[in-house]
Amino acid sequence: MAKIIGGLGTSHIPAIGGAIHRGAQQEPYWKPFFDGFPPIREWLGQVKPDVMVMFYNDHGLNFFLDKMPTFAVGAAPQYVNSDEGWGIPSLEPLRGELDLSWQIINHLIDKEFDVTTCQEMLVDHACSLPLKLFYPEGNYPVTVVPVCINTVQFPLPKASRVYALGKAVGEAVAAWDSSKKVAFVASGGLSHQLDGERAGFINKTFDLQFMESLLSNPEWATQYSIHELVEKTGTQGVELLAWLAMRAALTVGESSGVRKVHSNYHIPISNTATGLLALEKF
Ligand code: DHB
Ligand code: FE
């Protein structure tokens, strides 16, 4: 059976790609953000995952407002980055893990999650940046399964539903007949609002409580409705749903326990409170 190693959560912001491209990582504005990553890379170098199952949200690139699945799972041999173009001019496609994609899709449908299956799928900064941050040298040593959660067009899935989805994805991975090592990734958040009267809204108290809850009380955020989460984290802060799915996926198996490998929190990058967290499953 496949081995679940742990989970990673990181914010995604197109400007990060621009900073990587310009080599600006050590500039005062960027340094507190990029300095979070070396311990994560060291851990990844030790545990060496083969596959990353990536919980993320599309931003109107592969799914636009005319067709917006609540949950979609990639089942493609590769995922081409077609981002809006602020960032890194050329990025290698992410390599898919077809067998695991279908394992996850079949299990989710069996568990009554009516997901959209995507045998072709473009990805944006939400998928491409985490890999670039974890493996800056390129030539990613992992394949991926993208699991897209709608956080952009109402109605959004409830936090409790996202938690249940994450758990079901974890079950599917735990039951995968493979000797490969799998890590879960959450891409998004933490608090931010890009437009409207509250543009620039950030809630450090809530963010830190949320990050802590993933260690001590993983279901904590499911007490909130989507409107409450928008109120507390901003219209784009609801991207933190991906973190909830990642943590839920780690609850399967003999033990639901995790140990914190490393975390970082820095405000702001662009309009966003950036969070970073690595959890090792034991
Ligand atoms: C920003 C944050 C996001 O999550 C995103 O998808 C795009 C932009 C920002 O803060 O600029
Ligand atoms: Fe985003």
Side-chain angles (χ1 to χ4, degrees):
M1 290 298 132
K3 182 171 166 43
I4 296 174
I5 287 172
L8 298 137
T10 179
S11 304
H12 61 229
I13 301 160
I16 297 167
I20 293 171
H21 181 55
R22 294 196 314 280
Q25 292 92 331
Q26 292 307 307
E27 289 177 4
Y29 181 83
W30 291 101
K31 189 171 163 45
F33 171 76
F34 281 101
D35 277 358
F37 286 88
I40 303 276
R41 290 176 200 140
E42 197 179 312
W43 175 65
L44 287 172
Q46 286 161 14
V47 293
K48 293 190 172 46
D50 303 298
V51 188
M52 288 186 167
V53 176
M54 179 106 59
F55 296 102
Y56 76 108
N57 63 285
D58 184 88
H59 295 80
L61 178 94
N62 191 73
F63 305 113
F64 197 56
L65 304 181
D66 57 336
K67 299 179 201 73
M68 186 58 67
T70 304
F71 301 125
V73 182
Q78 66 167 12
Y79 304 94
V80 172
N81 179 77
S82 296
D83 207 345
E84 57 275 81
W86 290 22
I88 305 169
S90 80
L91 275 166
E92 58 264 63
L94 312 186
R95 288 180 297 128
E97 185 70 43
L98 277 174
D99 195 42
L100 182 57
S101 285
W102 288 109
Q103 164 76 8
I104 290 172
I105 289 162
N106 283 317
H107 185 74
L108 288 177
I109 298 284
D110 191 49
K111 292 285 170 179
E112 301 177 2
F113 289 93
D114 303 320
V115 295
T116 300
T117 301
C118 302
Q119 298 191 66
E120 287 182 11
M121 197 181 199
L122 298 172
V123 294
D124 66 14
H125 63 276
C127 266
S128 51
L129 280 178
L131 287 186
K132 202 72 197 165
L133 289 163
F134 299 153
Y135 302 107
E137 63 286 353
N139 287 328
Y140 309 132
V142 290
T143 52
V144 299
V145 177
V147 180
C148 185
I149 299 168
N150 170 27
T151 66
V152 298
Q153 177 169 252
F154 276 77
L156 310 186
K158 287 165 67 171
S160 54
R161 184 68 174 154
V162 170
Y163 191 92
L165 175 93
K167 193 155 183 263
V169 171
E171 288 162 5
V173 173
W176 185 33
D177 186 11
S178 166
S179 58
K180 292 188 176 173
K181 293 188 280 184
V182 181
F184 297 102
V185 176
S187 173
L190 293 177
S191 59
H192 62 301
Q193 171 141 349
L194 300 180
D195 47 25
E197 278 178 19
R198 291 204 309 166
F201 175 79
I202 275 173
N203 186 346
K204 181 176 179 179
T205 307
F206 184 89
D207 287 341
L208 294 180
Q209 205 171 358
F210 174 65
M211 284 176 78
E212 198 282 323
S213 77
L214 296 182
L215 280 155
S216 62
N217 181 12
E219 292 186 51
W220 175 78
T222 64
Q223 71 183 289
Y224 296 113
S225 71
I226 286 297
H227 287 93
E228 285 169 332
L229 286 174
V230 168
E231 209 167 58
K232 288 178 187 304
T233 69
T235 38
Q236 281 74 38
V238 282
E239 290 180 350
L240 61 72
L241 289 174
W243 292 54
L244 206 51
M246 174 275 283
R247 180 61 184 91
L250 296 175
T251 61
V252 301
E254 282 163 32
S255 148
S256 64
V258 292
R259 142 188 114 75
K260 181 165 98 175
V261 178
H262 183 64
S263 69
N264 191 37
Y265 183 80
H266 173 65
I267 297 172
I269 291 295
S270 185
N271 287 299
T272 298
T274 62
L276 175 64
L277 180 65
L279 300 171
E280 184 166 77
K281 188 164 166 60
F282 59 78

